[in-house]
Structure formats: structure tokens, C-alpha cells
Amino acid sequence: MTTDDHVDDADDAAFDDDAETGISDESPTERTREELRKTKERLGEGADKAVKGFDDNVVDLLSWLLDTETRARIYVFLRDNPNSTSDEVADGTGLYPSTVREALAELHDEGTVDRDKREASGAGNNPYEYEAIAPSELVQGVVGDVQRELNAVFNLDRRLGGESPDGDAEPVQISVDGDEGEGEEAEEEERDADGEDDADDDGDDERDR
């Protein structure tokens, strides 16, 4: 074996040792950039999990209001992405296009979503775009049903005793406040009415004098 062979063997051994210990020829700047990239990826994965967890919780909550998880997912997507077509809803939710079209038709018939033809400059069949009603309207739509069911439970003993439901008590009364704008408008109308009453009273006092 020659001297050159010994040198080559030593270099190979040193390279193998570096590979085993994870030592690379990267500069400190390159290693820092790589660490930052990995940290960014970890943060992104954490954010995605948090968003997914939030979405799942909202869908679970809405499923009992809208009967199925499919309808709940479509509602949440449309609240976040109004004026979407059925194909866009299918792409965004991962649901089958046929399932989305059927659910959207049902939700539209029930008044849970509105739809209009999408405007386009070119010729062709313009698809419908959908928008979900506000959550406050959705809640107001089910309040009556929930109230009746709770009152039926309250009167269970009367029903089991064979009494007529005509005499059922209705202790459960659920009310939903309107939008803030509506409340402010009502207060303003009430103030105007009070002002008119005060003006009438002042006029009567003047005539009496």
C-alpha cells in the first residue's frame, strides 16, 4: 500500500465520522436559515391544528341546528366564503359535488341560504352563487321549536297522567334580542314618541292658562 492510499483511507474515515455525527459543511448562516424554516413549519402546523379544532367545534355545535354535519360544514364555509358556487363549496369542504348540490337545494328551500345567478360578461350558463343567512337569523328560526320541546318536557307528568295538552303550562320563554341597529332604532322611536307626548302636554297647559 502506498502513502497516497493511506491518505485516501484517512480522508474516507474522516468523512464517515462526520456523517455519523451529523457534521456538515453548511455555514452557520445556512444552518440558522434551516432552523428558522423548520420552526416556521412547526408553527404553521400548530396554527393549522388550532384552526381545524375551532372549525370542528363550530360544526359540532351547528350539526344539531342544521340536522347533519354536511349541512353544518356547508353553512360554515359559506359564512366564511359568501357568494360561492356549489363547485367552490365542494372544493372548499372536500364534500362530493352531488352531495353539496343536494344540501344547498334543501338549505335554500328552508331559507338558510340565499342564491343569485353569478354575473359574467361572456355567454354561457352562469352558475348560482350562495350566501348563508346570519347566525342570529339561524338561531331565531329554531327558538320556537326548542321552546316547545322544553315545555313538553316540563309538562311530562301531566301527559303521563292522561291530562289534555290544552292545559299545559309554558314556563319556558326564550327570546332573542335583535341586531343592535334595530334596538337603537326602536329606542329612538320610543324617545320620539315620548317627546311628542311631552309637547302635547305643554300645549294643553298653555291652553288651560
Side-chain angles (χ1 to χ4, degrees):
M1 181 178 290
T2 65
T3 304
D4 291 340
D5 292 336
H6 284 296
V7 172
D8 291 340
D9 291 342
D11 290 342
D12 291 341
F15 177 80
D16 292 339
D17 290 341
D18 288 348
E20 291 177 0
T21 56
I23 298 174
S24 67
D25 293 334
E26 291 182 358
S27 67
T29 301
E30 291 173 337
R31 285 197 296 271
T32 301
R33 287 175 179 171
E34 180 65 16
E35 287 299 324
L36 288 173
R37 184 186 65 79
K38 292 179 180 179
T39 300
K40 184 178 180 180
E41 287 180 356
R42 287 196 295 270
L43 290 174
E45 291 173 359
D48 289 342
K49 289 179 181 178
V51 171
K52 184 179 184 303
F54 171 77
D55 288 345
D56 288 343
N57 290 335
V58 171
V59 169
D60 290 342
L61 181 63
L62 287 169
S63 292
W64 72 275
L65 282 176
L66 296 170
D67 296 332
T68 67
E69 180 179 329
T70 295
R71 289 153 60 97
R73 287 192 177 279
I74 291 173
Y75 177 85
V76 171
F77 179 84
L78 287 175
R79 287 303 302 170
D80 196 35
N81 303 273
N83 302 319
S84 295
T85 65
S86 61
D87 288 340
E88 291 167 348
V89 174
D91 290 340
T93 59
L95 298 168
Y96 287 111
S98 58
T99 301
V100 170
R101 287 193 294 270
E102 181 180 352
L104 283 172
E106 294 173 353
L107 292 169
H108 177 258
D109 290 341
E110 296 167 5
T112 306
V113 301
D114 298 321
R115 72 182 185 187
D116 287 300
K117 283 285 189 179
R118 172 168 288 182
E119 297 181 1
S121 56
N125 185 20
N126 299 339
Y128 281 113
E129 53 185 19
Y130 296 84
E131 183 174 0
I133 63 174
S136 58
E137 295 181 56
L138 183 65
V139 170
Q140 289 171 345
V142 300
V143 160
D145 293 336
V146 173
Q147 180 174 300
R148 280 190 294 273
E149 292 176 5
L150 292 176
N151 281 320
V153 172
F154 185 88
N155 292 284
L156 178 62
D157 288 342
R158 294 186 73 259
R159 301 289 182 86
L160 293 175
E163 297 185 43
S164 170
D166 294 338
D168 283 354
E170 295 186 353
V172 179
Q173 300 292 329
I174 304 175
S175 62
V176 180
D177 292 336
D179 295 334
E180 292 183 2
E182 294 178 359
E184 293 174 358
E185 183 177 346
E187 291 178 3
E188 185 176 351
E189 290 177 356
E190 185 176 349
R191 286 195 296 269
D192 291 342
D194 291 341
E196 291 176 1
D197 291 340
D198 292 341
D200 291 341
D201 291 342
D202 292 340
D204 291 340
D205 292 341
E206 288 290 336
R207 285 193 294 272
D208 290 340
R209 285 198 293 270

